[in-house]
Amino acid sequence: MDTKKFVQLLGEVLAPDTARVKSATATLKADYYPHPQSLSILLQLLVSNESQSLRQLAASQARTIVSKHWKHLPEEQKPAIRQRLLEKTLSEENQLVRHGAARVITAIAKYDLDKGQWPDLFDTLVQAAGSQTPRHREVGTYVLFAIIEDISEELAPKIPELIDLFGRTINDPQSAEVKINSMLALSRVAIILDSEEDASSIGKIENLVPQMVGILKQAVDAEDEDRTTQSFEVFQTLLGCDSSVLNTHFKELVQFMTNIAADTDVSEDARTQAISFLMQCVRFKKLRIQGLRVGEKLTLTCLEIVTEMGDEDGTDEEVTTGRSALALIDVLAESLPPSQVVVPLLHNLGAYVNSPDPDRRKAGLLALGTCVEGAPDFINTQLHEILPLVLRLFDDGEDRVRRAALETLMRLAEDLAEDLGKEHAKLIPALVKHLDIAMRQASGPDDVKNLNTIKACCNSLDTLSEGLDAETMSEYLPELVPRLSRLFTHPNFKIKSAAIGALGAIGASSEQAFAPYFEQTMNALSDYVQIKGSEEELDLRCTTCDAMGAMASAVGPKAFQRYVQPLMEATEEGLRLEHPKLRETSFLFWGNMAKVYKDEFKPFLEGVVKAIFESLESEESELEVELGEQGADLAGKEVTIGEKKVKVAAFSEDELAAASDIEDLDGMGDDSDDDSDWDDLQAVTAVAQEKEIAVEVLGDILTYATRPYIPYIEKTVEVVMQLTEHSYEGVRRAAMGTLYRLYAAVWGLQSEEIQKWEPGLPLKQQPTDELTKLGEIITTSTLAIWGEEEDRATVTDLNRNIAATLNLTGPALIASPATLTPISRTLLQLLTRKHPCQIDFSTLTPNGSSSADEDLDPGAIESSEYDWLVIDTALDVLVSIAHVLGPSFAEFYKMVEKPLFRFASGSEPFERSTAIGVLAECVRSMDAAVTPYTASLFKILMHRLNDEDPGTKSNAVFAVGLLIETTNDQKEVNKHFNTVLAKLEPLLQEEGARLKDNAAGCAARMIMKCQDKVPLAAVVPALVGVLPLTEDFEENEPVWGCVVRLYSAGEPTILGLTPQLLPILEQVLGPPENQLNDETREQVVEMVKFVHGKQPQMVGKYPGLVAAARG
């Protein structure tokens, strides 16, 4: 090998000339790095060359090829190389070169130690770490850290000695670098420790946490950015270790980080990193945070930090302390119960929104908007107080406050569209007013404030329209369509896009009322589906196609027909324009067309399905990014991955050195040392996100165009099944959803006899062999994933799919005992909060076992709305199983009664209300098979009849009525009968929460079950007095069944109430049609005919009844 030429090429790589760098890189990769001698030369340069830049480059490149070539170097040369490398590293003055050389030593040690070579390395490094010379201590501690990081298993026997060593060096009196190295090393040691096996070692590290906090404080006070970031990295690492490491000092650590975050004298970078650490605490130590009850303190601290934002936009992506504080509020609201986050925020909100300081008014609004997604149900209960203040601040004198009010409205509409839509008469005129003002005042492309207002108004109209029915939305079309249409030609692409998106949503909401505006809108937008000159144009093309798809659903297939072919061609072209969002837009448009045209979509199916399959089968490795020099630019910054903002820890010095290298010069290492830290990191690539959309759209197409889709079913199962184990949870979630939709679609093709399933096992209607096979495939996949899935949203979605499919298709999916047993096991895990997706890192060791925090009882902890959602949907699955098994459910119920009773006795009203409702559905499904459980059910239900929460009380009275109706344990019924009757009287007068209706249903069931025990003269008039039912039409079945039965028996009290009943009968037989089911309607009509025959003049006063009697 030409050594001189080799060195010259390395010099070329360092030249400030891109062409020369690329040429030298290509030559090195092709002619030099494949040969072992290249490693010898690089090591020689590292220990002897006078150029610091060349030594640094030699270190980073030698490290990448050690695993490939070290074993081929002559054994007799290696001792001298090791010795010289250690000596040079200890004496190296430049820190970057020292760290690069340390990584080379680590790479060699990884090979040598495995072969039993370099036996004195550890003792040499320990000696260096204890040297009197600071530089030697710096090198010794750093190399030990690097070795622990890369080959910790080989050093396992030395861990106690290492902890003792770093326990001394962390207090180094002269070198801050030694302290930092010691912290880094201890954090890496902690990763591999387990409190069950290494209690003593963990205790020693735990005792060093205060020193670590002190080192971080020193770095922050000294404004040493690099060491501050490294210190924060240590604490982030410790969060993922055995929980015992931080348990003792966790509260103080959270307080310390909170103080840093709140301190305006500290650098913004340190404050944002402190907030980032607190976010991780909330995510991974949620039970600890909740148990310490620091949620309120964190929330109010963040609220105060947000006041510093000034003119900053809350939606921008640049990392600032204010935006980081909003992100922490978001995580707090999602992770902790409302009592610890939303309630204190609302209690303190008045002081902010009513402050004379516009920054405080803005902060209050932004914080409020940020917490909506995490606690929508609770926010909804406070909407009557929240909305007036948001509307008031629409007219604030400060532009930034008005924009914050618009942003808050948009966030409210995103999660509470239907409830917010009820206030349309206030909201839409206000939005139109501000849109007009901003459009009138906008002075040009640099008028950021007015342009942002226009965009915010459009986005708010977009989200708000989803909560309006067609009739309501149509009232605003004359005002909204002309205004938004004028913005289609605005020079700002984001304004165009916002206006087009809003009009698409408005069109979809207004349905056929949009028809008069349809043609002109399509003509105005037609050019935008062809543009492709720039990234902005392609983004606008996406929005336009989305809007046109929405309009198609509004006007229907006939009106949209002439646009289908050109738009299908445009979206097909979009697949080839190398714009990921445009590919997703094409898929979504096809899904919309399938919804609109159903089986008539057949002509396009072959091409559409082919394109989607190609996407689903594409290789994601093609999009992997090589981190080279460009990667260094991300250090310390925030990036967006899967729509989540992530703070990237700054690189250490040697990593920065490696980042400045030429791009992976060897390109063919067989050990992938550099990637070892990334093995478990599953980045969300653009291809993965595209697959998520594609598989969802596939579900749309097979649902709406099922018959023409039949030829593609087998291939669909093959392709989609492979995605159920994808590394990205979004793909797994969508794939399972599509499989269930496929089963439901194929079920719909079966005969009516099969579709009219009956509850119970064994099956009374056998599905076809093909459907049975498909069901087995889906249940096998479900059982493989459901019990092990760690992503909560995926489990929640799977719960919904299982419940909906069972309700539609009956017990066929779960007919096998081999299926029911694991289902019951997974449901019990979910209901006891012991499922993998519910595990809190506060209570786990690295091997997954429970740690010192096992006294934290997850079942006794108040739930956040996000936590409860996975339980709530698991209860939906339970109810659906009860529904399809019928009386056969009694054995299954035995396993779940205890957790249901626990929820029914919980501290949270929504838990009690839901659990009692589930118990009611279980009673209804089991029918007489509920008898063995009568006593225990009466005990819990009678207690809940006195509940302070109206919803719980309402569900309890419903459940009691069902229990009395279905059980055969008459002795137990008699014991409680009079008590229940006494409680019904006041309930029949209570408003809200369906109390009247459920109490009426309960009274009717009691009369039908034990008429002789009911004082009819008192109860029947009270029952008739609450009719007609207005909230829960389902209870019309027992109520009118009871009335008809009493009438048929000639019961005097009901006969005497005929004049009072007749106008009620006319109401229930009139609109809305869903007041009565078919069977009950038939009974009521027969009763009307009977009364008409006896008293035609009295009935003749009511035309509706006359029509029914004659019909």
Side-chain angles (χ1 to χ4, degrees), residues 768-1071:
T768 63
D769 291 343
E770 293 80 2
L771 191 63
T772 300
K773 182 179 179 181
L774 179 59
E776 289 172 353
I777 291 172
I778 292 172
T779 51
T780 300
S781 182
T782 298
L783 296 177
I785 294 168
W786 198 22
E788 305 295 329
E789 177 61 57
E790 296 181 2
D791 179 66
R792 196 170 305 180
T794 300
V795 176
T796 299
D797 210 49
L798 187 52
N799 291 346
R800 291 190 180 112
N801 283 316
I802 294 170
T805 306
L806 287 175
N807 287 333
L808 175 68
T809 64
L813 269 176
I814 59 171
S816 167
T819 301
L820 266 179
T821 301
I823 283 178
S824 65
R825 185 166 54 245
T826 299
L827 278 177
L828 277 173
Q829 282 184 312
L830 287 165
L831 298 182
T832 54
R833 291 184 169 98
K834 294 178 180 178
H835 189 277
C837 77
Q838 298 165 300
I839 296 300
D840 188 283
F841 281 89
S842 302
T843 58
L844 284 187
T845 63
N847 65 14
S849 62
S850 181
S851 76
D853 274 348
E854 61 187 6
D855 56 313
L856 288 172
D857 180 5
I861 297 291
E862 188 182 358
S863 299
S864 71
E865 289 187 19
Y866 184 62
D867 291 331
W868 178 250
L869 192 58
V870 72
I871 297 172
D872 194 32
T873 53
L875 291 171
D876 289 340
V877 176
L878 183 63
V879 169
S880 68
I881 292 173
H883 179 48
V884 301
L885 293 184
S888 306
F889 179 71
E891 284 300 310
F892 199 102
Y893 172 81
K894 189 187 303 182
M895 296 182 284
V896 296
E897 184 181 65
K898 186 176 179 180
L900 286 178
F901 280 14
R902 187 170 194 172
F903 288 129
S905 304
S907 60
E908 285 298 305
F910 63 85
E911 292 187 8
R912 298 196 303 274
S913 174
T914 302
I916 296 296
V918 170
L919 286 170
E921 294 300 330
C922 292
V923 170
R924 191 200 323 239
S925 296
M926 286 188 283
D927 199 55
V930 76
T931 300
Y933 310 107
T934 303
S936 60
L937 282 165
F938 260 124
K939 184 177 179 180
I940 188 74
L941 295 176
M942 294 301 291
H943 187 57
R944 288 300 139 213
L945 282 177
N946 298 314
D947 200 284
E948 61 184 18
D949 174 57
T952 303
K953 190 158 49 177
S954 179
N955 285 345
V957 73
F958 173 60
V960 166
L962 287 171
L963 184 58
I964 290 172
E965 178 185 39
T966 55
T967 183
N968 290 329
D969 189 345
Q970 195 59 44
K971 181 180 178 181
E972 196 67 29
V973 170
N974 293 341
K975 186 190 301 184
H976 300 283
F977 199 86
N978 289 334
T979 305
V980 174
L981 266 182
K983 290 180 181 293
L984 281 183
E985 183 179 1
L987 293 180
L988 285 167
Q989 308 304 318
E990 286 197 35
E991 298 289 343
R994 309 181 318 281
L995 264 167
K996 278 186 180 181
D997 296 19
N998 282 335
C1002 181
R1005 290 183 172 98
M1006 293 177 75
I1007 292 171
M1008 288 190 286
K1009 182 69 177 278
C1010 304
Q1011 183 174 329
D1012 58 322
K1013 295 182 180 299
V1014 179
L1016 296 179
V1019 175
V1020 172
L1023 175 60
V1024 173
V1026 302
L1027 301 180
L1029 304 185
T1030 57
E1031 292 186 281
D1032 192 345
F1033 292 152
E1034 197 174 291
E1035 291 304 276
N1036 272 324
E1037 181 178 351
V1039 166
W1040 288 105
C1042 174
V1043 170
V1044 169
R1045 178 170 160 179
L1046 291 174
Y1047 233 98
S1048 300
E1051 199 281 320
T1053 307
I1054 198 72
L1055 292 176
L1057 293 170
T1058 300
Q1060 188 176 339
L1061 275 170
L1062 291 178
I1064 298 171
L1065 284 164
E1066 186 170 49
Q1067 284 181 268
V1068 298
L1069 289 174

Side-chain angles (χ1 to χ4, degrees), residues 295-306:
E296 178 173 350
K297 170 71 173 175
L298 291 173
T299 301
L300 298 183
T301 298
C302 288
L303 180 56
E304 189 62 28
I305 292 172
V306 177

Side-chain angles (χ1 to χ4, degrees), residues 617-869:
E617 294 179 310
S618 61
E619 291 291 334
E620 291 174 57
S621 58
E622 296 170 3
L623 291 186
E624 290 177 359
V625 177
E626 293 183 2
L627 287 181
E629 190 171 6
Q630 296 83 355
D633 295 334
L634 296 176
K637 296 184 179 178
E638 200 168 64
V639 297
T640 299
I641 298 179
E643 299 182 350
K644 295 290 185 183
K645 292 179 181 177
V646 179
K647 179 81 175 182
V648 180
F651 293 137
S652 57
E653 291 90 341
D654 62 299
E655 289 169 326
L656 285 171
S660 65
D661 301 342
I662 46 183
E663 32 171 300
D664 189 15
L665 288 180
D666 98 79
M668 47 190 142
D670 56 4
D671 199 310
S672 301
D673 280 350
D674 291 285
D675 296 327
S676 60
D677 296 334
W678 300 84
D679 287 346
D680 296 325
L681 179 62
Q682 302 293 348
V684 183
T685 66
V687 168
Q689 291 177 321
E690 179 186 308
K691 286 183 178 181
E692 179 183 10
I693 299 295
V695 75
E696 284 179 353
V697 168
L698 200 63
D700 289 336
I701 293 170
L702 63 86
T703 297
Y704 293 103
T706 306
R707 289 196 180 279
Y709 194 86
I710 290 173
Y712 308 101
I713 286 178
E714 186 175 347
K715 174 73 170 178
T716 298
V717 174
E718 176 189 334
V719 172
V720 176
M721 279 293 296
Q722 295 176 12
L723 299 174
T724 60
E725 297 181 359
H726 195 278
S727 60
Y728 172 41
E729 64 274 8
V731 174
R732 297 197 300 273
R733 184 164 61 244
M736 288 305 303
T738 293
L739 286 174
Y740 273 96
R741 294 180 76 178
L742 177 61
Y743 184 84
V746 175
W747 175 271
L749 298 176
Q750 310 307 300
S751 67
E752 283 192 26
E753 183 181 345
I754 293 178
Q755 290 190 52
K756 290 181 179 178
W757 57 269
E758 296 178 43
L761 295 177
L763 295 177
K764 298 175 179 62
Q765 295 86 17
Q766 288 291 339
T768 63
D769 291 343
E770 293 80 2
L771 191 63
T772 300
K773 182 179 179 181
L774 179 59
E776 289 172 353
I777 291 172
I778 292 172
T779 51
T780 300
S781 182
T782 298
L783 296 177
I785 294 168
W786 198 22
E788 305 295 329
E789 177 61 57
E790 296 181 2
D791 179 66
R792 196 170 305 180
T794 300
V795 176
T796 299
D797 210 49
L798 187 52
N799 291 346
R800 291 190 180 112
N801 283 316
I802 294 170
T805 306
L806 287 175
N807 287 333
L808 175 68
T809 64
L813 269 176
I814 59 171
S816 167
T819 301
L820 266 179
T821 301
I823 283 178
S824 65
R825 185 166 54 245
T826 299
L827 278 177
L828 277 173
Q829 282 184 312
L830 287 165
L831 298 182
T832 54
R833 291 184 169 98
K834 294 178 180 178
H835 189 277
C837 77
Q838 298 165 300
I839 296 300
D840 188 283
F841 281 89
S842 302
T843 58
L844 284 187
T845 63
N847 65 14
S849 62
S850 181
S851 76
D853 274 348
E854 61 187 6
D855 56 313
L856 288 172
D857 180 5
I861 297 291
E862 188 182 358
S863 299
S864 71
E865 289 187 19
Y866 184 62
D867 291 331
W868 178 250
L869 192 58

